[in-house]
């Protein structure tokens, strides 16, 4: 590293150092005493040579002459120190033309208070985001998703300096290569995706999602990192666990998750949910430490949205209750503004979890129940099954009152709707990173019209799971996930119960590995 410093220092003293080289030299010297000493040595020698052989002014009036070696050493050192101060204070002069453009943002709060709409050109210089998420496209085709609070210098069309905060960079495959610097590291990438976070103490967390990147520590060391690697760069490069949800990789815009195509946002991964007895008393506090999670399944929206739109779900049962838990990845968790006292029956519009559930032991699985006519698949109204043991449940957190809410309707005709009925218990807890939540509910069998004959060990009934996402306002529905379905039937779950998957009630918990198996993908 000192060899590079000496080379750049010599170019600086010769007047041949480029602006990019000056930025690199300033970064190498900052907070690095060893590099600063190397720079001072070169600059001091240069100053002495200038004093010996460079142009001189007219001699001053006669006075006692100090020892030349002392004079040259002191003068050279002072000049070198002055140059060092100037280099340390150097910041690249911003280019006047735009080097990037703001392509989108979500709940963005800019430090300067400005209102920036998509399409706003961004010149070189500092961008400070106090909160929210901003998507920036550089001129070379690189896209950066910046999550506030963050401060980032847009240095050029293919380079940036992250001072604090975090960013996910997807570098253009055909570009010259993108360089992202931090106080402790330099990351070079081309046609790759990685996340970079600068923590308060200045250390850098780097995580590679796709491809290979070259990470160079400013304190020494360099390493090529492949997909699935994560490191901490401080004084050295140290491997840390890879955590897929560490970064927001895709801006949660109004059309995300991926949108309707041949399937609704995701392909169902499971045809069954496995329900087990609880290992002991269940405390409803959104802490699942007292749960048997051996029946838990994981479902996610299609790439590239799955990291921020996903579900880990589990269910338990005993003689009196059905227990429901869910860990949901959500860019805007627990923000629903939809009140349980709203009479419009739009309770899933602000985000939450929905269940379709049968407690009819005689009906078994699959169900043949049909629903109300719709514009998608008209049916005679008299074919809507009014079975009271078919329940449609919506679980959501009302942010203004901090209520764990429940809406339940019965039958394929959705009769008997009740909001926050007596008897149930629910709790929510937001994730520490603010990108998801955990919910936990206890639903009495009485509420599901099964108190006299609740599901028993060995039963295979019907159920399906849904997750609803909303935008940052907590008012606008923007997408959903549907899983635990019957792969041998098609149609809409709210209108055709034959599409629901199996609900398998196990006699014992601690299910052996291989019990929860995803469907094979054709």
């Amino acid at each position: 590293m000192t060899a590079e410093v000496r080379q750049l220092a010599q170019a600086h003293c010769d007047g041949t150092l480029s602006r990019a080289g000056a930025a690199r030299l300033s970064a190498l010297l900052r907070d690095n005493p060893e590099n600063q000493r190397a720079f001072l040595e070169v600059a001091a020698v240069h100053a002495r040579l200038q004093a010996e052989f460079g142009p001189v002014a007219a001699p001053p009036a006669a006075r006692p002459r100090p020892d030349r070696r002392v004079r040259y050493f002191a003068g050279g050192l002072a000049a070198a120190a002055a140059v060092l101060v100037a280099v340390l204070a150097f910041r690249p002069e911003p280019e006047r033309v735009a080097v990037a453009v703001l392509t989108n943002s979500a709940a963005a709060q800019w430090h300067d208070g400005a209102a920036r709409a998509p399409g706003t050109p961004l010149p070189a210089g500092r961008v400070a985001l106090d909160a929210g998420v901003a998507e920036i496209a550089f001129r070379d085709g690189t896209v950066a998703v910046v999550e506030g609070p963050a401060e980032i210098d847009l240095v050029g069309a293919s380079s940036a300096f992250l001072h604090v905060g975090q960013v996910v960079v997807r570098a253009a495959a055909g570009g010259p290569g993108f360089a992202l610097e931090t106080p402790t590291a330099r990351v070079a990438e081309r046609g790759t995706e990685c996340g970079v976070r600068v923590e308060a103490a200045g250390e850098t967390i780097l995580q590679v999602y796709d491809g290979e990147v070259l990470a160079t520590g400013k304190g020494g060391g360099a390493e090529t990192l492949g997909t699935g690697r994560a490191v901490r760069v401080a004084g050295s490069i140290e491997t840390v666990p890879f955590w897929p949800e560490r970064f927001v990789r895709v801006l949660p815009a109004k059309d995300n998750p991926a949108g309707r195509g041949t399937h609704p946002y995701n392909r169902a991964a499971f045809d069954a949910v496995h329900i087990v007895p609880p290992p002991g008393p269940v405390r409803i506090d959104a802490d699942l430490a007292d749960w048997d999670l051996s029946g838990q399944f994981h479902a996610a929206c299609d790439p590239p949205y799955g990291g921020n739109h996903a579900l880990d779900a589990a269910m338990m049962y005993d003689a009196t209750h059905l227990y429901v838990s869910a860990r949901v990845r959500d860019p805007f968790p627990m923000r629903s503004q939809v009140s349980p006292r709203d009479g419009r029956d739009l309770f899933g519009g602000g985000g939450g979890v929905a269940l379709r559930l049968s407690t009819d032991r005689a009906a078994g699985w699959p169900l043949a129940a049909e629903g109300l006519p719709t514009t998608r698949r008209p049916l005679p109204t008299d074919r809507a099954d009014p079975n009271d043991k078919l329940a449609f449940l919506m679980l959501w957190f009302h942010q203004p009152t901090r209520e764990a809410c429940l809406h339940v309707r019965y039958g394929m005709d959705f009769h008997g709707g009740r909001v926050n009925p007596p008897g149930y218990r629910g709790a929510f807890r937001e994730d520490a990173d603010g990108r998801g939540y955990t919910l936990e509910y206890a639903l009495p069998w009485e509420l599901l019209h099964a108190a006299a004959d609740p599901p028993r060990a060995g039963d295979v009934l019907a159920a399906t799971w849904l997750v609803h996402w909303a935008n940052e306002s907590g008012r606008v529905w923007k997408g959903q996930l549907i899983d635990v379905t019957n792969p041998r039937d098609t149609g809409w779950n709210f209108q055709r119960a034959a599409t629901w998957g199996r609900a398998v009630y196990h006699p014992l918990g601690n299910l052996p590995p291989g019990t929860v198996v995803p469907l094979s993908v054709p």
Side-chain angles (χ1 to χ4, degrees), residues 1 4 8 19-30 90 92 138 151-156 158-165 167 169 178-189 194 196-198 202-204 206 214-218 233:
M1 189 65 71
E4 183 183 5
L8 293 171
R19 184 171 61 182
R24 174 65 174 161
L25 178 59
S26 178
L28 288 171
L29 294 177
R30 194 171 295 113
F90 173 81
F138 287 81
E151 292 186 18
I152 184 170
D153 282 338
L154 310 183
V155 178
S158 57
S159 59
F161 192 107
L162 181 65
H163 295 272
V164 69
V167 60
V169 177
F178 192 85
L180 179 67
E181 290 202 47
T182 75
T184 60
R186 185 176 191 272
V187 181
E189 54 177 320
C194 70
V196 179
R197 181 171 75 203
V198 176
E203 66 181 15
T204 300
L206 167 63
L214 175 62
T216 304
K218 293 184 177 179
V233 185

Side-chain angles (χ1 to χ4, degrees), residues 237-251:
I237 300 177
E238 172 192 356
T239 296
V240 297
F242 182 91
W243 180 30
E245 292 82 17
R246 182 175 273 133
F247 297 92
V248 174
R249 300 170 61 189
V250 178
L251 186 73

Side-chain angles (χ1 to χ4, degrees), residues 391-446:
F392 287 72
L393 306 167
M394 185 68 215
L395 320 175
W396 83 102
F397 182 82
H398 183 225
Q399 192 273 334
T401 59
R402 305 197 66 79
E403 292 177 88
C405 299
L406 170 67
H407 178 223
V408 57
R409 297 175 293 176
Y410 303 100
M412 300 302 290
D413 57 351
F414 309 140
H415 70 271
R418 306 165 71 187
V419 181
N420 290 355
Y424 83 95
R425 290 171 288 148
F428 282 75
R429 179 176 298 186
E430 187 170 349
D431 290 354
D433 64 358
R435 295 292 167 182
Y437 61 90
T438 298
L439 67 77
E440 183 179 15
Y441 276 71
L443 306 172
W445 291 123
E446 182 180 7

